[in-house]
Amino acid sequence: MDVTRRGVLRGAGATGVLAAALATGLLKPERALAASWNKAAFDAKSALDALKSIGAGNTLESSEIVIEAPQIAENGAVVPIEITSKVAGTKSIAVLIEKNPFPLAGQFHFMDGALPFVKVNVKMGESSIVRVVAEAGGKYYTATKEVKVTIGGCGG
Amino acid sequence: MAGPMKARAKMQGSYADVRVLMNHPMETGQRKGSDGKPVPKHFIQNLTVKLNGKTVIEGEISQAVSRNPVFTFRVGGAKAGDKVEISWLDNKGETNTTETAIA
Amino acid sequence: MNTKLIVPLCAAAFAAAPLAFADPTADEVAAIHKRDFHKRGQAGMDRVAQDAVQRVCTDSHNKPPADLAKALEGDELKAIPFPSGSLIGDWKKGERVASGGRGMTWSDDPKKPSAGGCYNCHQLSPKQPSFGTIGPSLTGFGKKRGSGADMQRYVYGKVYNAKAYSLCSNMPRFGSSGTLTEQQIKDVTAYVLDPSSPVNQ
Amino acid sequence: MTKRRFRRGAVLAAALVAVAAGPALAQDEKEEIAKYQKMIAEGSPAELWELQGEDLWKKKQGPKNASLERCDLGMGPGKVKGAYAHLPRFFKDTGRVMDLESRILYCMITLQGRSEKDATKRLFGNANQPSEMEYLVSYVVGQSRGHKMAAGMSHAKEKDAFEMGKAIFFYRAGPWDFSCASCHGEEGKRIRMQDLPVLSEPPGAQKAYTTWPAYRVSNSQLKTMQWRINDCYRQMRFPEPAFGSDATIALTHYMAVLAKGAPYAGPGTKR
């Protein structure tokens, strides 16, 4: 299989081929997991620290990143967000909920024909700015959208 | 033990729309269980989308993704009948995989 | 399977004719509630038995005969224990009572204070976008109507027992039902009337 | 949402006269809420419940080691397709009007030989413990998608249930003087941000009934109509209605009959 190193590690981990790889001594489990999930970025308590941890300390505002999200979410437990990057050569998209205790919600890497698009449901503890950062040509582009989380009915 | 998982893939012009549904608690570690004790963190960290065996999307996600996650992706360079395989790995080392043919 | 045949035939008849089957009697309706519900937590079976107001409003579809309504409203009004002196409490505490929704359900701890759930049905502070519309908007209520003794008495009384003012109102009788305390109702009155409350900003 | 032309009756016209008196939501705010609802429906995991439910429906269980595949949901043993659209209905074998949940319980007890205690062990699930009933219901209702609602209204007991359901709908009681109609009786009202369908008129009943049972984001579970009624009564500050009781079935039947003719579109997705 012609894949990147990251691909081998992640793909193996996720498909259960991991067990086979471990058995044959190809990988140590800590290494496989540590390499595939950016712990520092996910543990960061501010959006800025999370961005630094994914290498996006400097970002450029871009109108070519489209964030589709409701301005009002009736339930913070499920806030649907749809992201499209029109920045040419987008390799990855990161989603940050700035007011969440751990702002980074996810980062998606696209290769071999995958379009820089993702639709995901996220949790929001309170009304917040949703920040999206797209990586293309070694640069980081960003756009934001505000989502208000309202109080539900009947004292919810 | 992983609950059910389901994927659907459909050509939409030049790309395939891939939608995947996963059964997972996505525990943040902040919620209290019925016994009043915090429920430990338990969430999917990685997901992989493969087209005909080749990895095309890799996701790293946090506990901020909603319970029972649903994702939609778009995969270019695909055609009807191609095989799409999606798998996840969580912080406890549990995994699950599903595959579907593009319609 | 004759059911398969019967259903479409009767469905057609039903579409053409108005519904006119025998209504169950009030006693039958009370009886099914008594039989098919059970006590849970603080919600005891006394709660499914109707009092005079509930019975009259149910039977009249919330349009009671005027004289009967007037008489019952009078009874309800007489039963409100208006405290002496100012009825204006602390609007900040009142805001919490207005925003919260807990209390009185079978899953609520009866030892903890209840809230009023005002925002479920009313708009109050213009800064709170999440409000219901079952009741009228109360935004700027104190600013428009002042906060004199009569107005204080009206708001306090209305929260304590809305049925004293409009017999079949959708609004609960927060005082009479034991949901809110005298102090909580004073605090809500302040939230609605106090010039410094966000409701009047 | 399905766009249908509703039959206009005198009752409906009367309901339309009573226009919302409360403050109207800004149009864009309304659109944003609609957008939220549309987006959560598109990203709904409800289908997973249907899949799990199908497995459980076909799984051999209980002292008789039998599946529920021979369960008669009103259209004959083994016929699941379209069955939910005809419920609640009168069943000769039990002599009563039954909704889907009570019928499933009946099949668990008769076909699988399970005790009532075992069958009713977990009628409502939560985040920690899912409910077999909720999975089974998801599967069965999914098999009626696109079928027009046609709850039974031919048998005398079905007519009685409808009338009783209507009376229960308007019965005011409890410390807060609520009936179902307190919240679901007037056009254009909402609690907090949620629109309240008028369930005593066909348009509201159709819209609500055809999208329940539903995956409920607040519970992260697929919830049944029996649960919906149970939790409404909790919030009405009533005592608890018994699961599958005549009162809950009558209320369900009342709404199902009013929803007549609308194609079933569930399981739905709610906030």
Side-chain angles (χ1 to χ4, degrees), chain B residues 33-49:
Chain B
S34 43
D35 56 357
K37 288 180 190 154
V39 181
K41 265 190 195 176
H42 185 201
F43 62 99
I44 294 173
Q45 292 189 320
N46 296 98
L47 51 112
T48 308
V49 181

Side-chain angles (χ1 to χ4, degrees), chain B residues 4 8 19 31 67-68 70, chain D residues 42 47 52 128 215 220:
Chain B
R8 288 187 189 287
R19 183 163 173 263
R31 196 175 65 86
R67 181 182 275 264
N68 301 321
V70 179
Chain D
E42 285 165 0
E47 204 184 331
Q52 193 106 324
N128 304 315
Y215 180 83
S220 310

